[in-house]
Amino acid sequence: MVRLIALYATPDDPAAFDEHYRSMHAPIVARYPGIREVRVTRLAGLGGRAPSHYLMAEMAFDSLAELDAALASDPGRESGRDLRNFAQAGVTLFVADDRAALDV
Amino acid sequence: MVRLIALYATPDDPAAFDEHYRSMHAPIVARYPGIREVRVTRLAGLGGRAPSHYLMAEMAFDSLAELDAALASDPGRESGRDLRNFAQAGVTLFVADDRAALDV
């Protein structure tokens, strides 16, 4: 599996962020071709400290080619445009390829 | 499940980082009490760009209490001290609690 991971910075209005994510953004992501699993988790800091990011979204695909195709698809481009509607505080995107796991 | 997630910044010498992580750090983490799963993944950027971080380590526990106990244990303190031996470029730590998942 290959995961597209989005780390969202803490929004000014978390309730509005959650509402937009749930009602508008998640339905777009659900239309990505080839998407296998979506996990969206609120984050916490260590030892009671504020976390570095507010929310982590993990979107799993069978391969990097499927992930790239999803981002290039109509829903992929739509989700990118939708970021400006709720992720003004910022979002960090990267890819975690389980085939690039360290053998620990 | 509750995951402790460590995002490591890109090191000056990735090969030395990997070697230290594999031979020194991972064996300490493996001694955390209550640890259920460890996944360590090299990261990639989107569209051929450099990723924001080099490596992601995900350490899973049954509960937040188990995670906190692991970090307070001897191996937990030892792993914290070991960071200075290989993670000079920086590391971001946060907690992803699957019970805090957004219902999307």
Side-chain angles (χ1 to χ4, degrees):
Chain A
M1 295 288 270
V2 177
R3 282 175 289 164
L4 171 63
I5 298 182
L7 284 175
Y8 290 93
T10 304
D12 289 336
D13 184 342
F17 178 101
D18 289 1
E19 173 57 23
H20 187 98
Y21 196 98
R22 195 184 282 115
S23 65
M24 301 294 290
H25 197 71
I28 301 171
V29 171
R31 291 193 285 108
Y32 282 1
I35 193 157
R36 295 297 183 195
E37 193 187 343
V38 178
R39 180 159 53 167
V40 181
T41 313
R42 283 198 200 83
L43 303 175
L46 285 182
R49 289 189 292 274
S52 56
H53 297 86
Y54 173 67
L55 194 87
M56 176 170 64
E58 299 165 272
M59 294 150 277
F61 300 84
D62 287 339
S63 68
L64 191 56
E66 297 264 8
L67 188 159
D68 285 341
L71 289 178
S73 71
D74 283 346
R77 289 192 297 267
E78 192 178 338
S79 65
R81 288 192 299 269
D82 187 49
L83 291 175
R84 71 187 65 163
N85 298 321
F86 73 105
Q88 295 90 344
V91 58
T92 300
L93 293 161
F94 54 84
V95 174
D97 186 341
D98 289 338
R99 296 167 308 180
L102 228 65
D103 182 25
V104 294
Chain B
M1 295 287 271
V2 177
R3 283 174 289 163
L4 171 62
I5 297 182
L7 284 175
Y8 290 94
T10 303
D12 289 337
D13 183 343
F17 178 101
D18 288 0
E19 172 57 24
H20 188 98
Y21 196 97
R22 194 182 284 115
S23 66
M24 302 295 290
H25 198 70
I28 301 171
V29 171
R31 289 193 286 109
Y32 282 1
I35 193 158
R36 295 296 183 196
E37 193 187 343
V38 178
R39 180 158 53 166
V40 181
T41 312
R42 284 197 199 85
L43 304 174
L46 284 182
R49 291 188 292 274
S52 56
H53 297 85
Y54 174 67
L55 196 86
M56 177 169 64
E58 297 165 274
M59 294 149 278
F61 300 84
D62 287 339
S63 69
L64 191 55
E66 297 263 10
L67 187 160
D68 286 341
L71 289 178
S73 71
D74 283 346
R77 290 192 298 268
E78 192 177 339
S79 64
R81 288 192 300 270
D82 186 49
L83 291 175
R84 71 188 64 162
N85 298 322
F86 72 104
Q88 296 90 343
V91 59
T92 301
L93 293 161
F94 55 83
V95 174
D97 186 340
D98 288 338
R99 295 168 310 181
L102 229 66
D103 182 24
V104 295

